Amino acid sequence: MLWDFSYSIKIAILIFPIIALVFAIPFLVYQYQKYGASHWWRFVTIYSFVFYMLAAYFLVILPLPKRSIVATMTSPYIDLNFGDFYKIFLNQGLKVGGLDAWLHFFSTKAFHQVFFNILLTVPFGVYLRYYFKKGWFSTIILSFCISLFFELTQLSALYGLYPRPYRIFDVDDLFLNTLGGIAGYVLTPAVVFMFPSRDSMDEDSYRHSREIGMVRRGTAFLVDLISITGISLLVVINLFPKANILKTLMSPRKLAHILLDKPLLILIMIGIGSIILIFVPTILNGYTLGKKLVGIRLVEEDGSRVSFWKLLLRYGYIGFVLSALYLSAYLVVNKPLILNNSLDGQFAAIFIVLLLGAYTFFDIVVSKVTKTPFVYERISGIINIADELAGDMWESDE
């Protein structure tokens, strides 16, 4: 197996933010479902594991050669002779004693081949023992399986994308990668002694499962917003089948033009938003889809079931504020400035966003400093409470 660390890691760095963004909400939802709270170190651990797996995979397949070059290859692509790495060691290794022999040995291709194949799965063994709490036997099996996946990926000619394999399926790599996983398992205590243990992460999450922070509320809000946007898009696509929705969404100028000139679209989103944010929690005892997924629900200040009229007041106030900001920004910056391609039009769009952001930030700061609910919560008399979930579940599993 050839190694190009810098190129593979650069590609992993470019791809990782996209993966992190896509899986952020599902990962948060999973944490709230399982533990009742998110833990910052769990984020670091899982996302670093994802980055490691991504980088390891790219090390196996990159750089990608041209198909025309691969088509002309005639070299063997399977090596089933176990122990070749040991024979090469004997031939190219330490033939004479002394420092020079050691330096020569470390510079040989044979040493690099063996060393980096072992090193590839050392972090895998560490993660298995540290976070996933696997024993030594499971670590051996899983390390072998990940190695087999890498080798079969190479043997499959990158899942049939190439006319033939461009890297060798080497049975020695299976042994060396498995050995690397075992080494990682053994080295784990020396590597992670300064980090919180998996048990302490779980205990801390269960202990804070009744708290409702901004991340938890924000996750619920994003899920509901995605639901409203997705359903609205489906409705708009059916109402305007000839419109190129995706192209419009990619053009801020066209999107602004449609939203300003076609109030029907705004009314559609308001209607669907009302169903999801008002009618659904009225029927489902304070739950929206987002709130259900993160384990919180809306109740009145005395803990009683939330009423339709107070939900209408809560989201009516939010809608009023957003509408006022929208119309104010529209009058200040003037419609033509938003619709043209000039620099003023860009500043106009930014101005609208800043207005919304400033109001939200001010409300959050005041709420945190005074330790009081948000303005719309005080007006409506509705608050969020957490489900009794994580602590009881944890104790029952013991």
Side-chain angles (χ1 to χ4, degrees):
M1 186 182 297
L2 300 175
W3 302 92
D4 190 344
F5 286 98
S6 60
Y7 180 73
S8 300
I9 292 175
K10 286 177 183 177
I11 298 299
I13 291 173
L14 290 175
I15 300 297
F16 175 73
I18 300 173
I19 295 177
L21 184 62
V22 169
F23 287 98
I25 292 180
F27 178 62
L28 280 167
V29 167
Y30 173 77
Q31 285 205 74
Y32 289 121
Q33 286 283 314
K34 185 173 178 62
Y35 307 105
S38 61
H39 194 286
W40 70 274
W41 188 251
R42 199 189 308 277
F43 261 99
V44 173
T45 303
I46 294 298
Y47 271 84
S48 64
F49 175 70
V50 171
F51 178 78
Y52 155 71
M53 292 297 293
L54 191 65
Y57 180 73
F58 285 153
L59 279 169
V60 171
I61 68 170
L62 297 180
L64 298 176
K66 294 182 178 179
R67 285 177 56 84
S68 58
I69 295 177
V70 174
T72 62
M73 290 181 176
T74 58
S75 57
Y77 50 80
I78 299 180
D79 184 357
L80 299 179
N81 296 315
F82 179 71
D84 281 352
F85 72 92
Y86 179 70
K87 297 174 185 177
I88 296 174
F89 256 47
L90 293 179
N91 294 331
Q92 297 189 18
L94 303 176
K95 297 179 180 179
V96 293
L99 179 61
D100 290 340
W102 280 99
L103 294 176
H104 168 73
F105 178 63
F106 292 147
S107 65
T108 61
K109 180 181 178 181
F111 174 79
H112 292 166
Q113 189 84 356
V114 172
F115 177 75
F116 288 119
N117 267 298
I118 295 174
L119 185 63
L120 178 67
T121 50
V122 168
F124 188 69
V126 173
Y127 281 108
L128 287 180
R129 182 174 180 180
Y130 167 61
Y131 183 78
F132 298 102
K133 300 177 71 175
K134 299 298 182 181
W136 64 270
F137 183 75
S138 296
T139 301
I140 293 174
I141 298 299
L142 292 172
S143 297
F144 176 82
C145 288
I146 193 68
S147 177
L148 183 62
F149 168 73
F150 290 154
E151 296 301 314
L152 290 177
T153 295
Q154 296 176 145
L155 185 62
S156 69
L158 199 55
Y159 319 114
L161 295 177
Y162 285 87
R164 55 151 283 162
Y166 59 90
R167 288 193 175 183
I168 297 177
F169 177 100
D170 193 340
V171 70
D172 284 347
D173 290 351
L174 296 174
F175 172 76
L176 295 172
N177 293 156
T178 304
L179 186 62
I182 297 171
Y185 180 87
V186 173
L187 293 172
T188 299
V191 175
V192 304
F193 69 93
M194 66 187 74
F195 302 142
S197 68
R198 168 65 186 273
D199 289 338
S200 67
M201 280 187 268
D202 293 349
E203 291 172 8
D204 191 52
S205 295
Y206 291 132
R207 191 164 48 249
H208 293 89
S209 63
R210 301 291 295 168
E211 298 177 3
I212 305 175
M214 291 305 302
V215 175
R216 195 171 189 175
R217 296 170 66 128
T219 303
F221 170 75
L222 285 175
V223 171
D224 291 334
L225 182 62
I226 291 171
S227 302
I228 294 170
T229 304
I231 297 173
S232 299
L233 281 175
L234 291 177
V235 173
V236 170
I237 289 172
N238 281 278
L239 289 178
F240 307 98
K242 295 183 179 180
N244 193 333
I245 301 299
L246 293 178
K247 187 175 181 180
T248 300
L249 291 176
M250 297 300 292
S251 172
R253 184 176 66 86
K254 290 183 178 179
L255 184 60
H257 177 83
I258 289 176
L259 291 177
L260 290 171
D261 283 357
K262 296 184 181 298
L264 175 62
L265 299 181
I266 300 294
L267 292 176
I268 289 173
M269 291 196 69
I270 292 174
I272 294 172
S274 298
I275 293 172
I276 291 177
L277 299 177
I278 299 176
F279 287 95
V280 170
T282 300
I283 297 170
L284 299 182
N285 193 22
Y287 289 111
T288 63
L289 175 61
K291 292 183 184 299
K292 182 65 176 178
L293 289 176
V294 302
I296 60 177
R297 64 188 179 95
L298 295 171
V299 297
E300 299 195 9
E301 289 179 324
D302 60 1
S304 61
R305 187 185 181 103
V306 66
S307 69
F308 170 82
W309 298 109
K310 289 196 172 182
L311 281 169
L312 184 63
L313 181 61
R314 173 190 176 94
Y315 291 108
Y317 170 79
I318 295 175
F320 171 77
V321 172
L322 294 178
S323 299
L325 288 173
Y326 177 78
L327 292 174
S328 298
Y330 172 70
L331 294 174
V332 169
V333 301
N334 198 352
K335 176 180 172 180
L337 294 180
I338 300 177
L339 301 183
N340 62 29
N341 286 316
S342 69
L343 190 61
D344 290 337
Q346 297 176 17
F347 282 130
I350 294 173
F351 181 73
I352 295 174
V353 174
L354 289 178
L355 279 177
L356 295 172
Y359 171 79
T360 303
F361 178 76
F362 179 75
D363 195 11
I364 292 173
V365 170
V366 171
S367 177
K368 287 293 183 182
V369 172
T370 61
K371 296 182 179 180
T372 57
F374 293 115
V375 172
Y376 64 88
E377 292 177 318
R378 296 200 298 271
I379 291 175
S380 64
I382 296 176
I383 59 174
N384 284 281
I385 64 169
D387 291 338
E388 294 185 8
L389 170 68
D392 294 337
M393 285 178 58
W394 181 46
E395 290 172 4
S396 64
D397 289 338
E398 288 295 317

